[in-house]
Amino acid sequence: MTHPHRVSKISLIIAYFLIYVVWGSMYYAVDVIIAEIPRFLFGAIRFTVAGGLLLGWCVMRGEKIWNPPLIRKSFVSGLFLIFIDLVVIMLALKYVSSSLVAIIASSTALWIMALDFREWKTNFRQPFFAAGIILGFFGVLMLYVEQLQPDIIDSNGAVGVIILITGCISWALGTLYAKYRSGKEENVNDFGGTAWQMLLASLLFWICSLGSGEISATDFSSVSATAWYSLIYLITLGTVFAYSAYVWLLKVRPAGEVATHAYVNPFVAVALGVMLGGEHVTILQIIGLCLILASITMIGKRQKTS
């Protein structure tokens, strides 16, 4: 299938680097932050600042940011892509291990491929692409299967799994909505809609944070410098740049291809843990890493023919 937007290879490389490597490196930063800043408050601060910075940049570039149809559609995208996805992960971690969260979250690529009805004819006509999506999921499974707790398949575990699957579907629907609907009022290089997604999602986080009493219960003076630095990193590289890159890629590349970040992020997290944290890598994890590399190579065969 030929896509209408033609962009430079360097732009694609930078964008994929951001959603592959930067998002993959955020696991540690998030753990540091939520240990000291409540989750809803963390989301509120993160997306208010990131959305404000991006909106200011759009104004400086001369973009028309006050566009009611775009704002309405951005609210839908922000609701599904940002707010529901993060809330689901917060809730699920109360019931299941982080390893299971990583495994089920990676199934997002499968959901996107299944729900992207417009691309069915193209996706399923290319066996390497469909096989690569499935292979990548098994690669992530191999990365974390040894860390799964034996007691996750109980009533609480089932609740956590259902919550996570709901979140995966939400992210998939938000991704497809952002690709096919929310960006119609924008040019490919405009980011006003992305900024509104962040700001409107942050409003929901502020409401939840206020309602749960997080703000009054938080002593900001006790938050460590490490947590603040991690938050700055997450806001700038992880949100302003990487999330914007994700939304931009959805405009110029197939959604199933962009969704492969769900496989590469755990790959990067494990690789960084081995290289920087001195963590031990097992045979199953090595197999998983190889499967993910193979899946990305197979999916890449579609890119050459798109």
Side-chain angles (χ1 to χ4, degrees), residues 52-302:
L53 289 173
L54 187 57
L55 198 67
W57 182 69
C58 291
V59 172
M60 291 175 61
R61 293 179 68 240
E63 287 188 33
K64 181 183 177 182
I65 60 171
W66 186 253
N67 185 332
L70 176 63
I71 293 173
R72 288 195 297 270
K73 292 180 179 181
S74 296
F75 177 79
V76 176
S77 298
L79 175 66
F80 285 96
L81 272 176
I82 299 175
F83 182 74
I84 293 179
D85 181 70
L86 292 181
V87 169
V88 159
I89 292 176
M90 294 175 193
L91 291 174
L93 285 171
K94 296 181 179 179
Y95 300 101
V96 297
S97 67
S98 58
S99 302
L100 187 60
V101 170
I103 291 170
I104 296 180
S106 71
S107 71
T108 301
L110 293 171
W111 286 108
I112 289 176
M113 184 177 70
L115 295 172
D116 191 0
F117 303 123
R118 296 191 186 188
E119 292 284 340
W120 268 19
K121 186 175 181 180
T122 302
N123 289 342
F124 293 104
R125 193 171 56 190
Q126 299 185 32
F128 276 104
F129 179 78
I133 291 288
I134 296 171
L135 187 66
F137 175 75
F138 282 102
V140 177
L141 180 64
M142 292 296 99
L143 286 184
Y144 292 101
V145 67
E146 293 173 306
Q147 300 174 31
L148 296 181
Q149 300 300 318
D151 59 346
I152 60 171
I153 308 302
D154 57 13
S155 58
N156 287 335
V159 170
V161 169
I162 293 172
I163 291 173
L164 281 170
I165 291 175
T166 302
C168 291
I169 295 174
S170 171
W171 179 269
L173 291 174
T175 291
L176 296 174
Y177 186 88
K179 179 173 182 61
Y180 296 122
R181 296 294 300 277
S182 70
K184 288 188 178 296
E185 289 79 11
E186 291 182 287
N187 294 319
V188 68
N189 292 315
D190 290 345
F191 293 94
T194 307
W196 283 117
Q197 287 177 31
M198 296 178 189
L199 290 173
L200 293 167
S202 73
L203 176 62
L204 297 175
F205 279 114
W206 282 116
I207 293 172
C208 291
S209 184
L210 286 167
S212 61
E214 286 182 351
I215 297 178
S216 58
T218 302
D219 180 10
F220 289 98
S221 63
S222 66
V223 177
S224 68
T226 300
W228 287 121
Y229 291 142
S230 298
L231 183 59
I232 292 171
Y233 171 76
L234 203 59
I235 287 172
T236 53
L237 284 177
T239 308
V240 173
F241 289 101
Y243 184 77
S244 297
Y246 181 78
V247 175
W248 177 79
L249 280 169
L250 290 176
K251 299 177 183 179
V252 299
R253 296 304 306 160
E257 179 187 298
V258 181
T260 54
H261 77 87
Y263 301 151
V264 182
N265 293 162
F267 178 105
V268 172
V270 171
L272 288 177
V274 172
M275 292 186 294
L276 303 180
E279 297 177 3
H280 176 67
V281 61
T282 67
I283 295 298
L284 279 179
Q285 286 180 318
I286 292 175
I287 293 173
L289 294 173
C290 292
L291 288 179
I292 292 173
L293 285 176
S295 75
I296 300 303
T297 301
M298 294 168 70
I299 292 168
K301 291 182 179 293
R302 172 196 169 127

Side-chain angles (χ1 to χ4, degrees), residues 12-41:
L12 289 172
I13 291 171
I14 293 172
Y16 273 111
F17 174 83
L18 287 168
I19 68 169
Y20 278 3
V21 179
V22 173
W23 268 357
S25 69
M26 291 194 314
Y27 289 86
Y28 175 75
V30 171
D31 286 341
V32 170
I33 295 167
I34 63 176
E36 302 186 43
I37 301 176
R39 287 173 166 82
F40 286 123
L41 181 57

